[in-house]
């Protein structure tokens, strides 16, 4: 018998275990992986973007679905609280572009190690086994079953992540357990995920990284996302930070519904770009078109742009008309990519969808259906854009739940 059982030793599970133990509770954590924080170790390309150094309102703005659910949790445990928490554990932090917060060491391991040491200091017991089922009696949870053995507790917190990156332990167990308790699981979709394109040129451009470009995502003719940054062409379509952020704005993938437009020269207004093109043309009047634009574009992109412009690669620069030059300029300001699908959910950074927020109290994270059953982190139907916002959701919901476990 223990005060509380926590299922999952990821970001949310560790945070909840630490605060529950600090509040005097005996805590037992079940984690099937041999080590805690498996997914935390690979976030932010191994650097771990733990939060975003901004206001509660800014965090709310970066949650496209069910953001109102998070008001109470963010008020209880903010980004500032997260930063103070880790610095108190001895991890020095820094704020980078976009208010993203990282350990000064740029090592996610330092974040995980600080959690591990605190869990040990507090005497939190971790059993590296998978929870098979919840024990529910008289509409209250009173423990879990693990390999046929019952472990009893006064409360249970489900904090075992979503379905993305299953090799880190996010295998969807949380949804299965929640469903067994009568909870509704909203549609599960990949979010912050690379996108598939039917455009053949994407595979031809595989490996090409574009920096300081503006990506715009359109839902038919409506602009739904625009941001400056970096992206990457792949054998299946597109990836990189801009693409991952854009993907979280796509609600229902349908044929010919979504398209991406890339501004390859966002620092130049159309007339400025035209002047730049004319200068380059003037220096290469007797060259073939394909050779006269080498200073304007990455080498790998030139054959694709030339083909889309309908200007023959052998045409001499001095024979290109004003109208053809305009079309070429517009291609550089509006390079189109059709989007046909998401990459699989196991390639997504996070899972969109989960336990319905209508069935969870936003002030306590307790189930409205089963007494003493709590939820925290990605298993809940709340997800955000990139920039540290998703980890803050995990930390804030975990802290809130810990107050009532």
């Amino acid at each position: 018998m223990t005060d509380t059982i926590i299922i999952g030793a990821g970001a949310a599970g560790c945070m909840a275990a630490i605060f529950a133990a600090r509040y005097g509770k005996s805590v037992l954590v079940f984690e099937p992986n041999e080590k805690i924080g498996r997914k935390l170790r690979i976030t932010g390309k191994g650097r771990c973007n733990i939060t975003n150094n901004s206001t509660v309102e800014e965090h709310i703005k970066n949650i496209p679905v069910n953001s109102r659910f998070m008001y109470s949790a963010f008020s209880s445990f903010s980004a500032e609280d997260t930063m103070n928490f880790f610095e108190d554990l001895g991890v020095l932090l820094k704020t980078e572009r976009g208010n993203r917060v990282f350990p000064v060491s740029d090592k996610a391991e330092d974040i995980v190690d600080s959690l591990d040491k605190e869990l040990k200091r507090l005497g939190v017991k971790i059993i590296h086994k998978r929870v098979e089922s919840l024990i529910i009696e008289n509409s209250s949870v009173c423990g879990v079953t693990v390999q046929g053995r019952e472990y009893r507790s006064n409360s249970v917190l489900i904090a075992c992540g979503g379905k993305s990156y299953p090799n880190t332990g996010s295998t969807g167990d949380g949804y299965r357990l929640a469903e067994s308790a009568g909870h509704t699981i909203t549609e599960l979709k990949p979010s912050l995920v690379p996108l598939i394109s039917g455009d053949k040129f994407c595979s031809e451009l595989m490996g090409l990284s574009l920096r300081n470009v503006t990506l715009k995502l359109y839902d038919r003719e409506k602009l739904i996302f625009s941001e400056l940054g970096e992206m990457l062409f792949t054998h299946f379509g597109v990836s990189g930070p801009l693409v991952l952020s854009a993907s979280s704005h796509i609600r229902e993938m349908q044929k010919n519904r979504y398209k991406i437009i890339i501004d390859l020269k966002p620092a130049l207004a159309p007339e400025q770009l035209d002047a730049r093109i004319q200068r380059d043309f003037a220096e290469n009047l007797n060259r073939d078109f394909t050779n006269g634009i080498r200073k304007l574009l990455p080498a790998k992109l030139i054959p694709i742009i030339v083909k889309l412009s309908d200007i023959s690669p052998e045409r001499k620069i001095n024979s290109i008309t004003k109208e053809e030059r305009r079309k070429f300029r517009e291609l550089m300001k509006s390079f189109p990519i059709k989007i046909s699908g998401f990459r699989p959910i196991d390639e997504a950074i996070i899972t969109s969808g989960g336990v319905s927020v209508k069935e969870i109290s936003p002030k306590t994270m307790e189930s409205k259906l089963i007494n003493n059953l709590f939820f925290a982190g990605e298993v809940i139907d709340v997800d955000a854009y990139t920039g540290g916002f998703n980890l803050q959701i995990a930390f804030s919901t975990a802290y809130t739940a810990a107050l009532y476990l």
Side-chain angles (χ1 to χ4, degrees):
M1 184 69 188
T2 189
D3 289 329
T4 190
I5 286 174
I6 293 175
I7 306 171
C14 288
M15 184 67 83
I18 286 168
F19 278 104
R22 285 181 180 180
Y23 296 138
K25 301 285 175 67
S26 57
V27 182
L28 180 57
V29 179
F30 285 96
E31 168 55 56
N33 287 316
E34 289 180 14
K35 294 181 178 181
I36 70 163
R38 186 98 179 264
K39 192 173 175 183
L40 262 177
R41 295 172 197 270
I42 62 171
T43 58
K45 296 179 180 176
R47 296 174 64 218
C48 199
N49 178 192
I50 61 164
T51 189
N52 192 279
N53 191 359
S54 56
T55 63
V56 168
E57 287 302 324
E58 193 63 30
H59 280 256
I60 293 293
K61 271 196 273 182
N62 279 276
I63 300 174
V65 180
N66 298 324
S67 57
R68 290 175 61 84
F69 177 80
M70 289 302 302
Y71 265 110
S72 183
F74 282 159
S75 298
S76 296
F77 198 78
S78 65
E80 185 179 359
D81 293 321
T82 294
M83 290 186 285
N84 289 337
F85 170 81
F86 282 106
E87 290 195 323
D88 286 345
L89 292 184
V91 183
L92 295 176
L93 303 174
K94 60 181 176 179
T95 301
E96 296 188 358
R97 182 178 58 83
N99 293 320
R100 290 167 164 85
V101 179
F102 294 91
V104 168
S105 65
D106 285 330
K107 292 178 181 176
E109 291 286 343
D110 289 352
I111 295 295
V112 179
D113 287 348
S114 70
L115 294 171
D116 195 30
K117 285 175 187 172
E118 184 66 358
L119 288 166
K120 286 171 179 168
R121 186 187 73 81
L122 292 164
V124 172
K125 188 176 181 183
I126 300 175
I127 296 177
H128 295 282
K129 291 179 182 177
R130 183 180 178 223
V131 171
E132 291 163 355
S133 60
L134 301 173
I135 302 169
I136 298 172
E137 297 170 358
N138 302 318
S139 297
S140 291
V141 70
C142 47
V144 299
T145 304
V146 178
Q147 294 180 349
R149 179 182 171 185
E150 289 189 356
Y151 292 81
R152 294 274 171 163
S153 64
N154 297 322
S155 62
V156 173
L157 171 68
I158 295 176
C160 45
K163 288 191 79 171
S164 56
Y165 288 155
N167 61 340
T168 66
S170 299
T171 55
D173 275 4
Y175 307 128
R176 175 181 59 79
L177 294 170
E179 254 184 328
S180 73
H183 276 278
T184 304
I185 308 300
T186 63
E187 184 187 359
L188 302 176
K189 296 180 293 185
S191 188
L192 304 181
V193 67
L195 296 172
I196 299 168
S197 173
D199 292 325
K200 290 182 180 177
F201 61 72
C202 286
S203 59
E204 294 172 37
L205 294 171
M206 183 175 68
L208 175 64
S209 178
L210 298 177
R211 291 179 175 83
N212 298 317
V213 297
T214 296
L215 182 150
K216 293 181 178 180
L217 175 68
Y218 286 86
D219 181 347
R220 296 192 170 94
E221 298 309 311
K222 184 183 177 185
L223 177 66
I224 57 173
F225 172 81
S226 178
E227 193 169 296
L228 176 75
E230 184 178 342
M231 62 168 288
L232 174 73
F233 288 97
T234 69
H235 67 283
F236 55 77
V238 285
S239 187
L242 285 178
V243 174
L244 298 183
S245 292
S247 73
S248 59
H249 293 258
I250 297 175
R251 300 268 67 88
E252 187 180 348
M253 191 65 77
Q254 295 172 345
K255 191 177 181 182
N256 300 324
R257 178 173 176 179
Y258 294 99
K259 66 179 176 182
I260 281 173
I261 300 293
I262 308 297
D263 184 347
L264 298 164
K265 301 289 181 182
L268 299 176
E271 56 275 12
Q272 291 174 309
L273 179 57
D274 192 50
R276 166 73 196 277
I277 293 169
Q278 288 189 64
R279 282 201 308 274
D280 279 40
F281 277 13
E283 294 172 6
N284 298 279
L285 286 175
N286 297 313
R287 289 193 169 193
D288 294 347
F289 177 50
T290 192
N291 294 324
I293 56 175
R294 286 181 175 175
K295 291 181 180 178
L296 287 166
L297 293 161
K300 213 169 187 176
L301 193 56
I302 288 174
I304 308 300
I305 289 274
V306 169
K307 189 176 181 180
L308 292 174
S309 73
D310 291 327
I311 302 171
S312 168
E314 289 84 26
R315 275 276 300 280
K316 298 300 180 187
I317 294 283
N318 59 22
S319 71
I320 292 174
T321 66
K322 184 178 180 180
E323 179 58 24
E324 287 172 327
R325 192 180 76 233
R326 180 193 63 78
K327 188 174 180 182
F328 172 56
R329 183 193 73 215
E330 286 182 357
L331 259 177
M332 292 176 69
K333 295 294 285 182
S334 304
F335 184 79
I337 303 168
K338 298 188 203 79
I339 300 303
S340 58
F342 296 112
R343 287 294 286 175
I345 198 165
D346 58 7
E347 292 182 26
I349 292 176
I350 58 166
T351 308
S352 178
V355 181
S356 172
V357 296
K358 295 175 184 175
E359 300 167 358
I360 303 171
S361 166
K363 292 186 176 178
T364 64
M365 297 299 143
E366 186 176 10
S367 166
K368 292 180 179 179
L369 311 182
I370 301 294
N371 295 326
N372 305 320
L373 177 63
F374 295 78
F375 300 94
E378 195 179 341
V379 73
I380 303 171
D381 182 17
V382 182
D383 61 276
Y385 304 140
T386 55
F389 301 106
N390 285 293
L391 272 180
Q392 187 58 49
I393 290 172
F395 295 141
S396 294
T397 53
Y399 175 83
T400 301
L403 297 175
Y404 300 93
L405 287 171

